[in-house]
């Protein structure tokens, strides 16, 4: 299977660079960026790449956010090719890292897309350091 | 307040570019990337910028993932300056977009960091199109 990252601007390329720095081989991860070339060119690039990839592969698509052009273009494709493409919005690095390392060996696209959501959500973490001023109240 | 994005490679710059394409003014969002310049230079850049920013501002830091250098450097700073810095890992575009638009006007750093986690998690969405083959079983 292949992982395709779609985003406004170079976000997809940037997160792929993070992946490469941590995990190494990124040959099963592809990106297309919406740039000032416009929506028409972007849509053509996405549909053309997905047509090519889905000849031999099933494809998991991550987009930057629900709504907006990258998501809408992928959703349209998914509606027409639901057995070959799955779509997750709101990508973050924990999701790309974990799923990227499994993408070439895992056969079950549905399982992987469900796992992507779980990993993405559980990877969002707030570091909660108690405020020193509050602690002071309890000092003797 | 200011929003600082820290990442392996150009992910932070990429997601800031997405923000700018959608929301416009990104002057309250700053980025520092860990590059092949190494961890020493990165740490110096982060500590120097946070020292400067926290003179007049409180700072919400988003990092690419829990663990790893960007998170660890920010966590060390937060431990030493817990009343001026909050830290959220696993950033995605819904989080950067929503919090970025509030960062200049919101006074409550704690509230904003809790909101960041909620928005980030709820922005992760799996598009669930029923498989056509399954639907076929129910056709008359």
């Amino acid at each position: 299977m292949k992982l395709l990252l779609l985003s406004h601007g170079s976000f997809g390329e940037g997160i792929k660079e993070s992946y490469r720095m941590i995990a190494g081989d990124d040959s099963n991860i592809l990106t297309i960026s919406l740039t000032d070339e416009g929506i028409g060119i972007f849509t053509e690039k996405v549909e053309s790449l997905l047509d090519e990839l889905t000849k031999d592969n099933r494809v998991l698509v991550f987009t930057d956010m629900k709504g907006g052009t990258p998501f809408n273009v992928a959703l349209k494709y998914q509606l027409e090719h639901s057995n070959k493409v799955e779509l997750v919005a709101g990508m973050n690095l924990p999701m790309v890292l974990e799923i990227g390392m499994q993408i070439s060996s895992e056969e079950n696209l549905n399982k992987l897309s469900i796992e992507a959501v779980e990993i993405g959500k559980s990877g969002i973490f707030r570091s909660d350091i108690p405020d020193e001023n509050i602690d002071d109240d309890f000092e003797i």
Side-chain angles (χ1 to χ4, degrees), chain A:
Chain A
M1 289 199 297
K2 300 287 182 185
L3 181 59
L4 175 61
L5 313 179
L6 303 180
S7 65
H8 293 81
S10 59
F11 169 22
E13 288 158 29
I15 205 167
K16 187 181 169 184
E17 191 185 327
S18 304
Y19 177 91
R20 192 166 53 241
M21 287 175 74
I22 297 166
D25 176 28
D26 61 357
S27 55
N28 289 302
I29 304 177
L30 300 106
T31 65
I32 301 177
S33 300
L34 173 61
T35 67
D36 52 18
E37 287 179 335
I39 292 173
I41 301 278
F42 175 80
T43 304
E44 278 173 29
K45 281 184 183 171
V46 172
E47 292 183 348
S48 166
L49 181 58
L50 282 173
D51 283 345
E52 189 191 319
L53 291 175
T54 54
K55 279 181 196 160
D56 302 316
N57 292 281
R58 298 209 294 162
V59 183
L60 181 52
V61 182
F62 288 172
T63 75
D64 51 6
M65 63 182 292
K66 190 179 170 186
T69 299
F71 180 82
N72 292 342
V73 169
L75 181 62
K76 179 170 174 284
Y77 199 94
Q78 187 196 19
L79 286 164
E80 294 161 359
H81 307 82
S82 66
N83 56 339
K84 291 187 169 178
V85 172
E86 291 223 11
L87 172 58
V88 175
M91 64 177 162
N92 62 5
L93 186 58
M95 189 193 299
V96 173
L97 201 54
E98 189 66 40
I99 301 301
M101 290 192 288
Q102 292 183 53
I103 197 77
S104 62
S105 57
E106 177 58 53
E107 304 275 313
N108 190 329
L109 180 63
N110 187 259
K111 173 173 167 260
L112 216 54
S113 72
I114 291 168
E115 204 179 320
V117 172
E118 288 167 5
I119 293 165
K121 289 189 179 196
S122 65
I124 296 175
F125 169 84
R126 179 172 164 269
S127 166
D128 188 13
I129 310 287
D131 192 309
E132 289 164 346
N133 297 326
I134 295 171
D135 285 351
D136 286 345
D137 293 341
F138 298 95
E139 281 183 358
I140 297 168

